[in-house]
Amino acid sequence: MLTYEQALDIAKSKKSKINYCAEYNNAYAFSYDAGEASKGGDSPIVIMKDTGAALNFIAYAVKDGNEFVKEFEVK
């Protein structure tokens, strides 16, 4: 199981601007702006906690068992 810090490192290696994170039971979703997806911007990058796999948010959204935990700014 990846830690938040490990997931953030993976996300930053794939997406240069990150300042927001939404945690789910099985993944972290990182983006530059909390409303980025709804504004037509880049899709948030999702890092799976169990494997470290990187997905775009649309691919993650169709998976079963995703439960929201919390959201917060990335420092």
Side-chain angles (χ1 to χ4, degrees):
M1 191 69 84
L2 266 75
T3 65
Y4 162 76
E5 290 79 13
Q6 292 169 318
L8 178 59
D9 286 344
I10 294 168
K12 284 184 173 180
S13 75
K14 300 185 179 301
K15 187 175 179 89
S16 60
K17 292 173 74 176
I18 292 174
N19 71 352
Y20 173 81
C21 181
E23 183 179 0
Y24 293 82
N25 61 317
N26 57 0
Y28 293 99
F30 296 97
S31 64
Y32 179 66
D33 179 12
E36 185 175 76
S38 64
K39 294 178 184 174
D42 292 337
S43 174
I45 187 166
V46 176
I47 308 300
M48 300 302 297
K49 290 179 178 179
D50 60 348
T51 64
L55 307 171
N56 69 34
F57 195 80
I58 299 303
Y60 175 71
V62 299
K63 290 184 169 291
D64 290 332
N66 305 334
E67 295 177 20
F68 179 76
V69 176
K70 64 182 174 180
E71 59 187 346
F72 53 95
E73 289 185 25
V74 173
K75 305 245 182 208

